[in-house]
Amino acid sequence: GWAAVGHVHPEDGEALALPAHDIEEYEIRTDDVTYRKAVAARLRTKGMHERDLDRLCTSYRADHSYWYQLLREGRSILLYGPGSKISLINDFYQEVGAEHSFAIAAHAYSASFSIKEMLLKLLEDLFQVDATSENPINLAHEVTACLKRNPFVHVFLLVHGIDSPPLRSRAAHSILRQLAMEPNLFLVASCVHLHSVQLWDRSNHEFQWMQFDATTFKPRLEELRHGVLLFGESDSGDAGAHSAEIVLRSLPERAKKVFFCLAKAQLSSKQESGMTFRELFRLARDGFFASSESELQSHVREMREHHIIEERIRGGTETLTIAIKAEPLRRLLEQLGYEWDGAE
């Protein structure tokens, strides 16, 4: 959920602010049941409508040049409608701004998001200026001063979930409004709550919003995954294990066995270096829970999309690794009903 300077990656990011008196009415809540239902729904419909959804999202590319022109005229873009817009917004930046500008991608629903950190990254990483204050309001003044001194430096501020709690305070609202008023900072944001766009109507004269229905119908799995972390999860590794447990309980039994096979090998290795796909396939075939490489690839792809498994390079060879630390991983296996005795 931290802010990032430079080229935007689809998973990077954080968010904006709502008037203080509306916070309670439009509070966003995400629990394990919500996330589990979203994952289950995605698994049921996977492949059925993906082609139609891709066609719908691709259709918005025709609007990219218009949106960019509005940004250059001093407007801000606010996207609303059902479905995740992380890929939509990041694709827009990659097409119109990646070659000649910088970007901050912000996921406001992330527990790790901090508007202060976002401002510090702008100052120290982008403009190479040491901050003279710890106060976010003062930092915002320093950022706007840098933007004024460098009028040919264009910065995209991509806010995923502008109505999320971390950016609803009056102070956060004031900071974002101040940044949006700079002609060389382009604000592009999305709403998570379906009714939040109505609240932003009140501040339209301040942000010069241009609102567009950008319905994607894509599952908000990334947003919900971060939403779970908002309620008491820490950065110790348990958060990733908690999200992984929810996903794994929705997967077929054979996919769970693939995960356990990889986890057992990883816990047996002091380097936690993972294993190659070929090694995993040999074990899966011997264990009778993957009869072909294509079946195993399907299981691996599903877990990789949910950030449970990641690919790393080891000695020039690509390996598969579970993105969870050892202790949380052992606890996760116990919660899933798999016994781990520490033996190789």
Side-chain angles (χ1 to χ4, degrees), residues 39-169:
V39 173
R42 182 177 188 274
L43 293 175
R44 287 196 304 271
T45 60
K46 185 175 177 62
M48 296 173 56
H49 309 296
E50 288 186 351
R51 186 174 301 175
D52 291 333
L53 293 181
D54 289 341
R55 194 156 40 230
L56 172 63
C57 295
T58 301
S59 69
Y60 293 119
R61 293 178 182 172
D63 299 322
H64 285 181
S65 59
Y66 178 52
W67 294 351
Y68 184 47
Q69 182 61 36
L70 291 173
L71 292 172
R72 292 180 63 86
E73 292 175 358
R75 303 297 189 99
S76 299
I77 302 296
L78 181 62
L79 305 180
Y80 65 92
S84 174
K85 296 168 186 59
I86 292 179
S87 296
L88 177 63
I89 290 177
N90 290 337
D91 288 347
F92 166 63
Y93 167 73
Q94 291 293 340
E95 179 176 329
V96 305
E99 294 184 359
H100 53 79
S101 65
F102 298 89
I104 292 284
H107 293 286
Y109 41 75
S110 171
S112 62
F113 171 73
S114 165
I115 194 167
K116 173 184 172 182
E117 182 182 355
M118 183 183 76
L119 294 169
L120 286 173
K121 284 183 176 292
L122 269 170
L123 277 176
E124 299 174 353
D125 294 354
L126 176 56
F127 292 110
Q128 301 294 305
V129 173
D130 292 331
T132 60
S133 172
E134 293 291 319
N135 185 291
I137 297 294
N138 294 335
L139 289 174
H141 289 312
E142 294 185 44
V143 171
T144 54
C146 288
L147 288 167
K148 292 182 190 310
R149 288 196 301 267
N150 300 273
F152 299 108
V153 174
H154 292 173
V155 179
F156 281 73
L157 180 56
L158 312 178
V159 181
H160 303 295
I162 202 169
D163 51 348
S164 300
L167 285 173
R168 290 182 179 179
S169 68

Side-chain angles (χ1 to χ4, degrees), residues 147-209:
L147 288 167
K148 292 182 190 310
R149 288 196 301 267
N150 300 273
F152 299 108
V153 174
H154 292 173
V155 179
F156 281 73
L157 180 56
L158 312 178
V159 181
H160 303 295
I162 202 169
D163 51 348
S164 300
L167 285 173
R168 290 182 179 179
S169 68
R170 295 185 188 278
H173 192 149
S174 175
I175 289 172
L176 288 169
R177 181 179 63 239
Q178 182 178 347
L179 295 177
M181 292 175 65
E182 296 302 316
N184 51 333
L185 186 136
F186 304 144
L187 175 59
V188 183
S190 66
C191 288
V192 173
H193 197 287
L194 292 177
H195 301 296
S196 295
V197 67
Q198 300 172 11
L199 300 178
W200 282 111
D201 286 338
R202 306 172 187 175
S203 59
N204 190 57
H205 67 286
E206 300 169 341
F207 286 88
Q208 292 293 300
W209 289 119

Side-chain angles (χ1 to χ4, degrees), residues 5 22 39 92 122 128 130 196 210 231 282 292 336 341:
V5 175
D22 292 308
V39 173
F92 166 63
L122 269 170
Q128 301 294 305
D130 292 331
S196 295
M210 292 295 292
F231 298 92
R282 184 175 66 253
S292 66
L336 292 173
D341 57 10

Side-chain angles (χ1 to χ4, degrees), residues 223-250:
E223 289 93 330
L224 292 174
R225 188 173 70 91
H226 282 295
V228 171
L229 305 189
L230 292 175
F231 298 92
E233 297 295 337
S234 68
D235 294 329
S236 64
D238 290 274
H242 181 70
S243 298
E245 180 188 359
I246 296 173
V247 175
L248 288 166
R249 291 189 185 279
S250 302

